[in-house]
Amino acid sequence: MDIMPRETSEKSSHFPNKESRYQCWDSRDKFWECLDAGGNEEVCKELRNKYIELCPAMWVKHFDRKRNYLVFKEQMKHGYEPLDSTRTKEPG
């Protein structure tokens, strides 16, 4: 059985070694700490860029989804109200 070569247009990927994984997780944790401290995407932009640089794209996607879920879960614990209370009713 012959193994087909990877298409040249496909991005080659490999599993990061221990040091690369540590750097990825550390950059993710620092970015999340910035957000948890009240920072927004703009304030934490440099940390986000480092996180994206050091982590495989699929990991970034996974970690971002995980953080969104954890934030949502925490909000639900405290009786999260999906509508912003500062909104005004639209005339109707």
Side-chain angles (χ1 to χ4, degrees):
M1 182 173 145
D2 291 331
I3 297 175
M4 298 296 292
R6 185 180 292 268
E7 293 290 327
T8 55
S9 63
E10 281 186 57
K11 186 176 181 180
S12 107
S13 62
H14 66 283
F15 193 77
N17 64 26
K18 184 177 180 178
E19 180 62 26
S20 296
R21 290 190 310 268
Y22 173 78
Q23 290 177 351
C24 170
W25 296 331
D26 187 54
S27 66
R28 174 206 60 195
D29 293 345
K30 287 177 180 172
F31 173 60
W32 284 12
E33 285 170 8
C34 179
L35 294 176
D36 290 342
N40 58 29
E41 291 286 333
E42 189 60 35
V43 171
C44 304
K45 187 176 183 175
E46 191 174 311
L47 292 170
R48 169 100 180 149
N49 289 341
K50 189 73 167 172
Y51 160 55
I52 290 171
E53 174 189 329
L54 293 174
C55 295
M58 288 300 295
W59 288 24
V60 170
K61 185 176 180 179
H62 168 75
F63 292 145
D64 287 349
R65 285 181 176 173
K66 181 177 179 177
R67 175 167 170 76
N68 290 337
Y69 173 73
L70 293 173
V71 167
F72 173 77
K73 190 172 148 182
E74 191 62 29
Q75 289 171 334
M76 292 304 290
K77 259 197 242 181
H78 300 289
Y80 173 68
E81 181 62 43
L83 296 177
D84 185 2
S85 62
T86 60
R87 277 192 186 165
T88 58
K89 284 190 172 184
E90 292 183 22

